[in-house]
Amino acid sequence: MKKHLILFFAGVILSYGNIKAQTVPDKKEILKVTLHVNDYFMKKYADYRTPSFVKKVVRPSNIWTRSVYYEGLMALYSIYPADEYYLYAKEWADYHQWGFHRGTTTRNADNYCASQIYLDLYNICPDPEKIRKTKANMDMLVNTPQINDWWWIDAIQMGMPIFAKMGKLTGEQKYFDKMWDMYEYTRNKHGENGMFNVKEGLWWRDHNFDPPYKEPNGKNCYWSRGNGWVYAALVRVMNEIPSDEKHRQDYINDFMAMSKALKQCQREDGFWNVSLHDPSNFGGKETSGTALFVYGMAWGIRNGLLDKKTYLPVIIKAWNAMVKDAVHPNGFLGYVQGTGKEPKDSQPVTYDKIPDFEDFGTGCFLLAGSEIYKLDLHI
């Protein structure tokens, strides 16, 4: 017994020392830098109607990239409810008539991702018209037999939380059931044996990257932001579903396995590489994946799933690294990998390079900042 007590207190002292080695960020500073990054984006993209023109393709501003930004903005609104934030989101939704790129018949999660924002806005100020198209789209997905729509893991974050939000709002189990069926298919059946490697606690981006595909160092290819999308999706789902939902423990198990795996591959400087198991393959700091991991771990600690003394040093180290090395004086975020599906895409990723889309990286950072702000940062 005495030996166990000594080991326990030694662990506490070590964890405390790890945290003290990193400066614990001040709450006011966390909020200040999060607001600063958002202000940069809102000023630069003040006209929310403007479509993007990337690689000679015009895309409306309600596709997944902008929707992820608004996910972050709504999280920020939950801790700092400035009227201009609500109006920036509501007027964007009004402009797009609370609908989607390619309409309510779309099965592509990148298109209906905007529903996450429409549901959040509806919950603030209920009006059935705000979610009429969202409900129509979700009911179409529920009422048709296909469960293989999420063939790339990014889609799990774009689509899965909508089912959770609809289930919570309506009290109808059918949304939770369909969500599980689609998630389970991607997890266990897509490709040869599913996209989740249970042994390593991480996800292949799609079937093109599962074995025998290997990274240059011979290890499995786990793309940072892709895993960040799944990690964030699990958080956003668990935040909505009831405690007795029949698959809640399954989601918790995957979240815990991912948390352990992610902790093990954090860089010494606090960031994560774009390739989680091969730092030699376009290695270097990357902000969007790092921010999503901070978001998930902070939520996990706050909700009692992750051991605080184990994971708090991880997120403090990562947050401090992003603030110190990625946030520019004007609020621009550096080291954000642009759109793609693997480490080599949108390279080089540097401090000064503007990614092809600035919105989703900003959204990831706002999610991280808003969640770490809610956390007690002391043991």
Side-chain angles (χ1 to χ4, degrees), residues 153-168:
I153 62 172
D154 314 36
I156 294 174
Q157 197 287 138
M158 307 309 157
M160 192 171 168
I162 303 165
F163 290 86
K165 288 173 182 286
M166 280 296 293
K168 181 178 181 179

Side-chain angles (χ1 to χ4, degrees), residues 181-307:
D181 289 344
M182 295 176 74
Y183 175 77
E184 191 273 338
Y185 189 91
T186 303
R187 183 190 190 278
N188 298 333
K189 298 181 178 68
H190 262 308
E192 293 295 323
N193 298 294
M195 294 296 100
F196 186 52
N197 185 343
V198 177
K199 292 181 179 178
E200 296 192 309
L202 295 170
W203 296 70
W204 294 291
R205 194 266 181 182
D206 57 57
H207 76 277
N208 293 312
F209 296 95
D210 62 9
Y213 187 95
K214 296 291 183 184
E215 288 283 70
N217 69 350
K219 295 186 178 181
N220 286 315
C221 180
Y222 301 120
W223 182 42
S224 178
R225 188 165 64 238
N227 277 270
W229 291 137
V230 179
Y231 200 54
L234 290 170
V235 162
R236 295 175 71 75
V237 165
M238 291 187 293
N239 207 42
E240 302 289 341
I241 61 177
S243 59
D244 61 351
E245 207 288 318
K246 59 187 175 182
H247 290 294
R248 184 177 182 87
Q249 190 59 50
D250 295 308
Y251 299 132
I252 290 174
N253 293 344
D254 287 354
F255 174 77
M256 299 298 287
M258 290 190 72
S259 299
K260 182 179 179 180
L262 292 168
K263 178 181 180 296
Q264 291 172 349
C265 55
Q266 185 181 29
R267 287 164 52 99
E268 186 61 35
D269 62 11
F271 284 87
W272 276 264
N273 290 298
V274 293
S275 178
L276 294 176
H277 278 191
D278 189 353
S280 67
N281 188 24
F282 296 96
K285 303 168 185 176
E286 202 286 308
T287 301
S288 63
T290 298
L292 290 169
F293 301 148
V294 168
Y295 169 57
M297 289 181 188
W299 185 93
I301 294 171
R302 191 168 64 83
N303 286 273
L305 293 179
L306 296 181
D307 178 62

Side-chain angles (χ1 to χ4, degrees), residues 339-351:
T339 54
K341 61 181 181 179
E342 59 183 307
K344 72 177 179 60
D345 291 333
S346 294
Q347 293 288 347
V349 175
T350 67
Y351 176 73

Side-chain angles (χ1 to χ4, degrees), residues 8-9 11 13 18 143 172 217 321 347 355 369 376:
F8 171 77
F9 286 115
I13 292 168
N18 287 339
N143 294 331
E172 295 186 68
N217 69 350
Q347 293 288 347
D376 177 3

Side-chain angles (χ1 to χ4, degrees), residues 64-80:
W64 72 271
T65 65
R66 191 58 56 91
S67 298
V68 170
Y69 162 73
Y70 280 109
E71 289 178 44
L73 183 65
M74 297 310 294
L76 179 57
Y77 183 79
S78 75
I79 62 168
Y80 193 83

